[in-house]
Amino acid sequence: MVIPSSTLESRQLGQIRHNPENSTTQERRRRSLMEHLHMFRGIKDERVLDILQSCPVYQFEKETVLLHQGEVNHNVYLVLSGEIKVLLDETDEEQHIMIPAGKCVGDMSVLDAQPVSAQVVACAGARIVEMNHEVFFNDMLTIPGVAKNMLMEQMKRVRRSNATVLSKREKELRLEQLEQELSIAGQIQNSVLPHTFPSLELWPWLSIAAHMIPARDIGGDLYDIFALDEHRLFIQVGDVSGKGVPAALHMMRTSALFQVAARTEHSPLACLQHLNTPLKESSPSFMFVTAFCAIFDVRTGEITYANAAHLPPVIKKKDGSTHFIDMQGGMVLGILDQPDFSTGCFTLNEGESLVLYSDGVTEAMNAQEEMFEDSRLLQALEKTEHCGAQHLVDQLFSQVQSFANGFTQSDDITVVALHRGQQ
């Protein structure tokens, strides 16, 4: 809201010219105003005060748009106190320049008679003199020195505006470069995760599938499946706490450590114990890892596992029913010196499937802020026909995405499936 304040402000301006004070006081107050308004610095012509006295003065209680981008301007605005904000891009509040007390705005658009290129906003508390373009051209610019001062102020403003635009462009270029680097990092990370499983050549009755969709360009989930020998298959899935680049780097380190530990240690428990020390020593900002790892004996179907606070796997039985493996959570990797991990074993019978996943599945959320949760996970797997591991993975992802219905993914989603067919 614009509040005309002619009774107060115009009288204050008039007093500088007409108040019957001694000449020394009048001169001091006149010089104070002239020096305060940059356009008139160094100018002693008394006509300046006469012109200013004829112009209305406004005070603003809240932010008010003086000029909209694209409209033709007919006034020059002189800032007595407070500030004017010039938005170079109406869609970006950060891209702006401030016009402080003593300076003016609108002079350039009045001169070239073109639509203004920015939105001009009077800040709350600002007091502004509004000078009509006819008064500006016919009276003010005829006073020697005013045009020169105005031109110098315009040059300073253009430099500031250019610096602001260049700064934004530099940020945009850095952001583009960062996005390109993140995209490349995502490709590198994706190459670390297996997409084909040569082990299937040894055991054609097995089917294996896995997929991970990161919440960002790069993620913190990990998985791996590979043969230890002609009778044993190593399986692991994990989730690094946190998001972004730190989590992705920690994920790649954890994945590499799993590769080594799985081949050098004699059990899943020993594997987790082997990983804990280096992860603790290299963990940034108390970052931790949840993980489930297991060794599957393809001859008997026995699965021996160790768990570090990861979610329990699901068994889909031959008749289509599903249930979670009854297991303890255990402690996470990379925090304590000697954490307790849970261990156990179970059997995957012919015609059954094992499904491992990250919490991005059960914690997937829709627009109503409902989570997918354990119950929907079991229901989704029960609806899926026994058509191999890939079908299980595809259908579960489809169910999760259908539930979320386009709502922003907040966490990485990983699913690993193993189906044991008839030998």
Side-chain angles (χ1 to χ4, degrees):
M1 177 180 179
V2 181
I3 303 177
S5 54
S6 55
T7 56
L8 172 63
E9 305 296 347
S10 293
R11 185 167 68 244
Q12 287 177 337
L13 293 177
Q15 284 175 346
I16 297 175
R17 178 66 181 84
H18 299 292
N19 195 43
E21 298 174 336
N22 62 63
S23 59
T24 302
T25 302
Q26 289 187 44
E27 175 64 19
R28 185 173 65 251
R29 298 188 68 189
R30 183 193 69 79
R31 185 178 301 161
S32 175
L33 176 65
M34 303 283 272
E35 290 298 317
H36 176 66
L37 297 173
H38 294 205
M39 186 183 291
F40 311 121
R41 280 185 175 175
I43 297 173
K44 299 180 179 181
D45 198 312
E46 293 287 337
R47 287 178 295 168
V48 169
L49 295 179
D50 292 330
I51 295 170
L52 289 176
Q53 184 185 358
S54 69
C55 298
V57 179
Y58 298 100
Q59 182 167 337
F60 300 87
E61 290 184 341
K62 60 182 181 179
E63 282 202 352
T64 306
V65 177
L66 297 178
L67 295 171
H68 288 280
Q69 189 173 11
E71 73 174 325
V72 178
N73 176 38
H74 300 288
N75 300 300
V76 175
Y77 298 96
L78 300 166
V79 186
L80 290 176
S81 63
E83 291 180 309
I84 287 179
K85 179 164 56 178
V86 179
L87 295 169
L88 304 176
D89 183 346
E90 291 186 51
T91 63
D92 185 358
E93 281 283 340
E94 293 186 1
Q95 191 180 358
H96 70 271
I97 58 175
M98 300 303 297
I99 307 299
K103 298 197 175 185
C104 68
V105 68
D107 47 325
M108 294 179 69
S109 55
V110 164
L111 284 172
D112 64 13
Q114 296 296 317
V116 296
S117 59
Q119 180 169 284
V120 180
V121 179
C123 298
R127 290 161 49 215
I128 296 171
V129 178
E130 181 185 272
M131 186 182 301
N132 182 273
H133 69 287
E134 292 182 355
V135 174
F136 179 66
F137 279 119
N138 299 333
D139 300 324
M140 193 61 78
L141 286 186
T142 62
I143 299 174
V146 171
K148 179 182 177 182
N149 284 359
M150 184 190 70
L151 181 60
M152 292 178 65
E153 288 300 318
Q154 285 183 348
M155 291 175 63
K156 291 178 183 178
R157 197 184 317 145
V158 168
R159 290 193 189 100
R160 289 175 60 197
S161 176
N162 287 344
T164 301
V165 172
L166 286 173
S167 176
K168 182 186 179 185
R169 183 54 185 156
E170 287 175 359
K171 290 179 181 178
E172 289 174 345
L173 290 173
R174 286 197 295 269
L175 181 59
E176 289 174 8
Q177 183 180 4
L178 178 59
E179 288 174 345
Q180 291 175 357
E181 290 174 352
L182 285 175
S183 177
I184 294 171
Q187 295 173 29
I188 294 172
Q189 184 187 41
N190 191 48
S191 69
V192 172
L193 300 173
H195 302 283
T196 59
F197 304 95
S199 303
L200 294 178
E201 298 176 3
L202 297 173
W203 312 298
W205 61 89
L206 293 179
S207 66
I208 305 169
H211 189 49
M212 188 269 282
I213 298 179
R216 302 180 184 176
D217 291 315
I218 49 181
D221 282 3
L222 61 148
Y223 67 83
D224 209 348
I225 306 172
F226 53 88
L228 294 175
D229 52 42
E230 59 183 0
H231 300 303
R232 296 182 305 154
L233 185 69
F234 181 80
I235 308 166
Q236 67 90 357
V237 62
D239 184 358
V240 176
S241 64
K243 300 287 189 298
V245 174
L249 292 174
H250 205 50
M251 165 266 176
M252 295 180 72
R253 175 169 170 76
T254 304
S255 184
L257 289 170
F258 259 120
Q259 285 274 348
V260 174
R263 290 179 169 86
T264 57
E265 302 299 331
H266 63 279
S267 70
L269 176 59
C271 181
L272 293 184
Q273 290 171 337
H274 178 95
L275 261 67
N276 188 69
T277 299
L279 287 179
K280 182 177 182 297
E281 291 175 349
S282 64
S283 174
S285 302
F286 300 101
M287 192 171 285
F288 61 85
V289 180
T290 69
F292 173 92
C293 67
I295 295 177
F296 175 48
D297 190 320
V298 299
R299 298 166 297 182
T300 64
E302 183 179 69
I303 296 178
T304 303
Y305 70 84
N307 191 43
H310 201 75
L311 299 172
V314 176
I315 292 288
K316 180 177 175 66
K317 301 183 75 65
K318 194 172 183 178
D319 63 5
S321 62
T322 59
H323 67 87
F324 291 103
I325 297 298
D326 186 13
M327 57 185 283
Q328 299 298 314
M331 298 295 297
V332 296
L333 285 164
I335 297 294
L336 301 178
D337 289 328
Q338 295 182 325
D340 290 327
F341 303 117
S342 67
T343 60
C345 64
F346 58 92
T347 299
L348 186 69
N349 298 308
E350 290 184 359
E352 295 182 341
S353 301
L354 173 70
V355 179
L356 309 172
Y357 55 97
S358 66
D359 59 6
V361 173
T362 52
E363 294 180 7
M365 193 173 291
N366 60 19
Q368 289 72 45
E369 297 187 353
E370 300 172 322
M371 289 188 179
F372 194 70
E373 297 183 338
D374 294 348
S375 58
R376 290 188 178 88
L377 169 61
L378 294 180
Q379 291 171 10
L381 293 174
E382 286 175 359
K383 293 177 182 177
T384 306
E385 297 179 1
H386 273 298
C387 299
Q390 188 63 58
H391 185 69
L392 275 174
V393 171
D394 293 343
Q395 288 301 305
L396 183 53
F397 265 98
S398 176
Q399 291 288 327
V400 171
Q401 290 171 341
S402 176
F403 171 78
N405 194 27
F407 193 70
T408 303
Q409 181 182 333
S410 61
D411 201 359
D412 307 329
I413 300 176
T414 299
V415 179
V416 177
L418 170 67
H419 178 73
R420 184 187 181 195
Q422 273 192 323
Q423 292 183 231

